[in-house]
């Protein structure tokens, strides 16, 4: 049986997930997990590493940062800057040669997109009451990470520290892609009626913490039929300057129908 999996990667910055997805074929369900070496860490080791990774994302609520996500070798990319304490954020999402920009200032959200149909190419002001639940635009704790690292960490099957550590920590392990779900950052969803192949239930991943213990990288390599996807955090504490675009018009209803994952 062959399945088609949609990876809605990295449509982030303003904590958003858009419906423009990269299609790829997972191959037969009985494909071997991957030629990439993976770990078989015991439960206690995995639990301690998972907690280490969760602790490595505390910066999200404490300081400003940059997020970069890349799906399938640049087919979908995002670059975002977030300052949740000051309620400032921006994002640049590129897909199929077209770009979408988002700016967040307090409760105000602005968007300019080449990817949406029937909305023009200028800046639009969004009405929060009309935005679908799957298109999250908020600075609220737990929903304010454009990288979506919590969903990745929660889907880890096994993990351990990889070799000697000189500066920071390198981690390797396996992840259940069927449990990543959809949301901010790297997302996975199936076409209707399909199931995840067994090989995707123990897919390899690697992660990196810097010398301060912050999560700076999470990489899902191309293996077992899956494309590559990577998440990186940087620029901790750098100023995030965002201004309201002049002349922004109220977004038409045609925009809201195109937001989020259906």
């Amino acid at each position: 049986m062959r399945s088609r999996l949609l990876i809605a990667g990295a449509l982030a910055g303003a904590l958003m997930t858009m419906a423009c997805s990269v299609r790829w074929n997972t191959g037969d369900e009985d494909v071997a997990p991957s030629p990439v070496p993976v770990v078989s860490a015991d439960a206690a080791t995995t639990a301690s590493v998972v907690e280490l990774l969760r602790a490595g994302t505390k910066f999200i609520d404490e300081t400003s940062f940059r997020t970069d996500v890349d799906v399938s070798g640049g087919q979908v990319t995002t670059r975002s800057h977030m300052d949740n304490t000051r309620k400032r954020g921006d994002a640049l999402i590129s897909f199929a040669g077209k770009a979408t920009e988002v700016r967040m200032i307090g409760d105000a959200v602005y968007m300019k997109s080449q990817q949406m149909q029937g909305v023009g190419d200028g800046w639009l002001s969004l009405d929060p009451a009309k935005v679908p639940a799957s298109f999250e635009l908020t600075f609220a704790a737990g929903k304010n990470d454009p990288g979506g690292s919590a969903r990745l960490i929660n889907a880890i099957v096994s993990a351990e520290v990889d070799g000697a550590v000189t500066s920071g920590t390198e981690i390797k392990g396996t992840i259940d892609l069927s449990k990543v779900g959809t949301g901010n950052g790297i997302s996975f969803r199936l076409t209707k009626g399909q199931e995840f192949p067994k090989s995707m239930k123990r897919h390899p991943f690697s992660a990196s913490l810097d010398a301060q213990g912050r999560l700076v990288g999470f990489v899902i390599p191309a293996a077992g039929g899956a494309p590559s996807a990577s998440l990186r955090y940087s620029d901790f504490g750098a100023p995030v300057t965002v201004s309201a675009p002049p002349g922004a018009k109220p977004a038409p209803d045609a925009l809201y129908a195109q937001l989020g994952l259906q």
Side-chain angles (χ1 to χ4, degrees):
M1 175 181 178
R2 301 186 73 82
S3 306
R4 292 191 67 79
L5 184 67
L6 302 178
I7 177 170
L11 302 172
L15 309 186
M16 56 187 280
T17 304
M18 296 175 62
C20 52
S21 304
V22 177
R23 289 180 177 270
W24 55 282
N25 199 304
T26 63
D28 296 334
E29 288 192 22
D30 57 357
V31 170
S34 169
V36 179
V38 296
V39 302
S40 56
D42 59 39
T45 299
T46 295
S48 64
V49 173
V50 166
E51 288 308 308
L52 193 65
L53 287 168
R54 286 177 177 152
T57 64
K58 290 182 178 179
F59 67 82
I60 291 167
D61 297 311
E62 299 172 349
T63 189
S64 60
F65 58 94
R66 169 174 168 165
T67 305
D68 289 270
V69 185
D70 183 295
V71 176
S72 196
Q75 285 193 38
V76 180
T77 64
T78 65
R79 182 191 69 234
S80 58
H81 303 87
M82 292 293 284
D83 187 338
N84 289 306
T85 60
R86 295 182 58 248
K87 295 186 176 182
R88 296 288 187 275
D90 64 35
L92 175 63
I93 304 101
S94 299
F95 174 73
K98 296 183 178 181
T100 293
E101 295 180 63
V102 175
R103 296 182 187 179
M104 297 174 64
I105 306 171
D107 295 327
V109 180
Y110 304 94
M111 175 183 290
K112 181 171 68 172
S113 179
Q114 298 174 327
Q115 298 168 339
M116 303 297 181
Q117 301 296 317
V119 300
D121 56 5
W123 279 102
L124 302 172
S125 176
L126 276 61
D127 180 350
K130 295 182 179 180
V131 174
S134 59
F135 187 91
E136 297 180 287
L137 300 164
T138 176
F139 294 106
K143 299 180 179 180
N144 55 4
D145 174 16
S149 59
R151 290 183 299 100
L152 299 175
I153 295 170
N154 289 339
I156 289 174
V157 177
S158 64
E160 66 180 14
V161 174
D162 184 14
V165 177
T166 55
S167 62
T169 301
E170 298 298 320
I171 292 164
K172 65 178 180 180
T174 60
I175 185 171
D176 186 343
L177 298 185
S178 71
K179 293 183 178 180
V180 172
T182 59
N184 310 321
I186 299 169
S187 294
F188 295 89
R189 66 186 179 116
L190 289 169
T191 53
K192 188 176 181 179
Q194 299 295 328
E195 295 182 359
F196 278 83
K198 293 179 181 178
S199 61
M200 303 302 162
K201 304 253 179 113
R202 292 187 68 90
H203 192 86
F205 83 91
S206 62
S208 303
L209 304 177
D210 66 10
Q212 285 72 48
R214 297 173 298 208
L215 179 65
V216 292
F218 199 106
V219 177
I220 300 173
S228 62
S230 66
L231 162 64
R232 302 199 179 279
Y233 295 101
S234 61
D235 293 355
F236 303 106
V240 176
T241 303
V242 183
S243 59
K249 299 179 180 179
D253 290 340
L255 173 69
Y256 300 104
Q258 301 178 63
L259 300 179
L261 289 172
Q262 305 303 318

